[in-house]
Amino acid sequence: MSQYIELFISDCKGKGLSVTYQRLAVFKCLMNCKNHPTAEEIFSHVKIDHPTISLATIYKNLEVLAQNNIISKVTPLHDLARFDIDTGLHHHAVCIKCRNIIDIPNDDFDSLSIPTQISSGFEVKNYKIQFEGICNSCSKLNH
Amino acid sequence: MSQYIELFISDCKGKGLSVTYQRLAVFKCLMNCKNHPTAEEIFSHVKIDHPTISLATIYKNLEVLAQNNIISKVTPLHDLARFDIDTGLHHHAVCIKCRNIIDIPNDDFDSLSIPTQISSGFEVKNYKIQFEGICNSCSKLNH
DNA sequence: GTGGTTGCAAAAAGTTTGCAGGCTC
DNA sequence: GAGCCTGCAAACTTTTTGCAACCAC
């Protein structure tokens, strides 16, 4: 049994999560899938070995594991489509409390020299930095 | 009439898009909303002046305007929740053709010095760079 | 007048919830 | 055995689609 799985099991136990057959299967699938699969993709994979598993179980496990920081969501903050009148290069800061999105102009990050090729042949056309944190209003509310 | 609206109208005409009452209302709303609204939020705003407008029209317009690069989507590439076994600091490169997501380790970008405070008090907890472009396999397929 | 656009309704897609039964520790 | 977890079904949310009537050019 791989060290990752052992770590997963002790992580779960440490956080009071049962190590079920299904939860382990979800984790293993994520461990073997390099492509950051969707819930549906995980479901398809896991069903091969566990034909009776339910999609709802996949969702529940993904949610619980993400909340316990055992896995992460690629798009944690905006599942809802949001639109922007600015089509130029700029970045976004997302408040993890109120979920508002603030524009960040690119000027602040012109020191960032992005290579045109990264990671074995990926040709970069565009990039965006997404900052996460607490906005001004929310940090005032806190105290 | 503001210069932005004039520009919008000539943009539309240049791309063969009709300038309808509804399309203009969607654009104006996006122009006045700083918060990168959702379709539903735009719908609520626009309904005040155009009570008979339909939500489907909002969606159709947002789609058409985004495709013509007149507006942009804040999350253009992954509307579907996707999950990642790696909870540490790293970045993603998304292929705009096959929509696969490749991990980019942070080491490559340690030159990027992110201030802990940006834009009037926003406190940065975390950040991710999202690269968009063409992956190796897709660029091979092209020729 | 032609062709793109609208509004409605229905459908599709993705995700969440409630609950009875089952499993983990 | 207690409490969390599963599977099912139903509900809910967000987005898309088909189509007849309508509007922009």
Side-chain angles (χ1 to χ4, degrees), chain B residues 24-65:
Chain B
L24 195 53
V26 168
F27 181 80
K28 278 185 190 169
C29 172
L30 219 38
M31 199 175 73
N32 296 325
C33 282
K34 302 291 182 196
N35 291 356
H36 307 300
T38 64
E40 197 77 43
E41 284 163 355
I42 295 170
F43 182 50
S44 309
H45 278 141
V46 167
K47 236 185 344 189
I48 297 169
D49 283 334
H50 306 271
T52 62
I53 201 171
S54 145
L55 183 55
T57 299
I58 307 283
Y59 274 106
K60 285 170 189 167
N61 273 305
L62 289 170
E63 191 56 36
V64 134
L65 293 177

Side-chain angles (χ1 to χ4, degrees), chain B residues 9 76 85 87 96 125 128:
Chain B
I9 291 174
I85 204 158
T87 56
I96 58 180
K125 298 271 192 198
K128 279 178 184 157

Side-chain angles (χ1 to χ4, degrees), chain B:
Chain B
M1 179 161 48
S2 107
Q3 55 175 334
Y4 294 109
I5 293 180
E6 282 178 34
L7 185 59
F8 171 72
I9 291 174
S10 67
D11 260 11
C12 283
K13 295 197 171 166
K15 291 178 175 173
L17 301 174
S18 308
V19 181
T20 63
Y21 215 51
Q22 293 86 340
R23 184 161 290 159
L24 195 53
V26 168
F27 181 80
K28 278 185 190 169
C29 172
L30 219 38
M31 199 175 73
N32 296 325
C33 282
K34 302 291 182 196
N35 291 356
H36 307 300
T38 64
E40 197 77 43
E41 284 163 355
I42 295 170
F43 182 50
S44 309
H45 278 141
V46 167
K47 236 185 344 189
I48 297 169
D49 283 334
H50 306 271
T52 62
I53 201 171
S54 145
L55 183 55
T57 299
I58 307 283
Y59 274 106
K60 285 170 189 167
N61 273 305
L62 289 170
E63 191 56 36
V64 134
L65 293 177
Q67 267 173 13
N68 282 276
N69 208 39
I70 296 174
I71 65 172
S72 69
K73 285 191 184 181
V74 174
T75 54
L77 290 167
H78 19 101
D79 311 329
L80 254 169
R82 283 162 166 266
F83 297 86
D84 193 335
I85 204 158
D86 186 351
T87 56
L89 174 59
H90 69 284
H91 312 291
H92 291 126
V94 187
C95 178
I96 58 180
K97 294 216 168 161
C98 66
R99 291 178 149 242
N100 267 348
I101 301 175
I102 301 166
D103 284 327
I104 310 292
N106 188 50
D107 320 1
D108 304 357
F109 303 98
D110 48 7
S111 65
L112 176 65
S113 58
I114 298 293
T116 55
Q117 298 258 329
I118 49 176
S119 183
S120 65
F122 190 97
E123 183 189 342
V124 176
K125 298 271 192 198
N126 189 14
Y127 68 94
K128 279 178 184 157
I129 309 175
Q130 180 184 313
F131 301 94
E132 292 169 22
I134 312 283
C135 76
N136 210 2
S137 339
C138 285
S139 74
K140 275 180 192 156
L141 281 179
N142 237 11
H143 294 287

Side-chain angles (χ1 to χ4, degrees), chain A residues 120-134:
Chain A
S120 66
F122 189 96
E123 182 190 341
V124 176
K125 299 271 193 196
N126 189 15
Y127 68 95
K128 280 179 183 157
I129 310 175
Q130 179 184 314
F131 301 94
E132 290 169 22
I134 313 283

